[in-house]
Amino acid sequence: ACLNVRSGQKSLTVFLIDLDDFQVINDRYGNAGGNIVLEEIADLLHSLIKDKGCIARYGDDEFVVALPGQEDRYVLQQVKYLTDQIRQLEITIRSPQGREKVQITASIGMVYCEPNAPVSNATMVLEHADNQMYSVKNNSKDGFSYIVLNAIPQKVSQAVDEKPADIALPEISPH
């Protein structure tokens, strides 16, 4: 995917998704409860992304989504929609008290690489996404921050932290 960006063939959008306060869920419901949350998030991501990109679990409570060929005008809608869908997800976990509904939020770092952007490798892109995700974590959680890697060398668009609006946005598009 990075080669396609460098050669000007396609753009690349990468989301690094970290589940907020996931350790609290593991502490309260055990690893089995945490696994249910991870499975529900993975199912949600698969339902939204379908065959438009790839999804991977990246760490304990982190996921990476890579979407090649997205148009820049759609990526902000996509990350807002994704953040909103995670927040609205109600997950049922069994506990000693019975079934409990759990809600979770996510801090998402996004990198949009324009075609011809100076992208050297996947590690570089993930580092940018990680930095954006941590800017959300360190501020308020439950939101996203993004950066645009432009085709003009040494030009990087201003990163922006945002809280998604409570509006329904369209499904992630194949554009």
Side-chain angles (χ1 to χ4, degrees):
C2 292
L3 182 60
N4 287 336
V5 170
R6 281 195 313 259
S7 67
Q9 294 176 17
K10 287 187 176 183
S11 65
L12 176 65
T13 305
V14 174
F15 301 133
L16 180 58
I17 304 161
D18 184 89
L19 303 180
D20 296 330
D21 303 317
F22 183 74
Q23 188 60 45
V24 173
I25 291 172
N26 266 349
D27 291 347
R28 181 168 181 170
Y29 302 105
N31 288 336
N35 285 341
I36 290 169
V37 170
L38 293 171
E39 289 170 7
E40 291 286 330
I41 295 295
D43 288 346
L44 173 67
L45 292 173
H46 283 288
S47 74
L48 294 173
I49 304 304
K50 299 180 178 132
D51 62 350
K52 298 173 192 95
C54 64
I55 303 160
R57 185 166 168 203
Y58 188 63
D60 295 334
D61 62 342
E62 294 179 343
F63 293 87
V64 172
V65 175
L67 296 166
Q70 298 293 297
E71 292 183 34
D72 60 350
R73 63 181 179 205
Y74 295 113
V75 294
L76 281 179
Q77 288 180 334
Q78 293 167 350
V79 72
K80 287 178 183 180
Y81 184 74
L82 176 59
T83 307
D84 195 43
Q85 291 299 299
I86 291 171
R87 187 185 320 105
Q88 292 178 16
L89 191 63
E90 287 190 359
I91 303 166
T92 303
I93 298 178
R94 288 183 190 220
S95 72
Q97 294 77 29
R99 293 180 180 266
E100 292 186 45
K101 296 266 186 200
V102 174
Q103 289 185 291
I104 194 154
T105 60
S107 297
I108 302 175
M110 184 186 85
V111 178
Y112 176 73
C113 305
E114 291 181 342
N116 291 316
V119 176
S120 57
N121 57 48
T123 301
M124 176 203 151
V125 174
L126 287 171
E127 286 174 0
H128 280 296
D130 193 54
N131 290 338
Q132 296 308 304
M133 184 266 300
Y134 272 105
S135 75
V136 176
K137 282 274 192 216
N138 293 332
N139 285 320
S140 61
K141 300 182 182 179
D142 185 24
F144 66 89
S145 179
Y146 69 96
I147 191 168
V148 176
L149 301 181
N150 298 288
I152 301 167
Q154 305 303 319
K155 182 180 176 194
V156 176
S157 294
Q158 179 80 19
V160 177
D161 293 326
E162 292 198 23
K163 285 256 196 213
D166 290 325
I167 58 172
L169 292 168
E171 181 178 316
I172 292 176
S173 71
H175 295 93

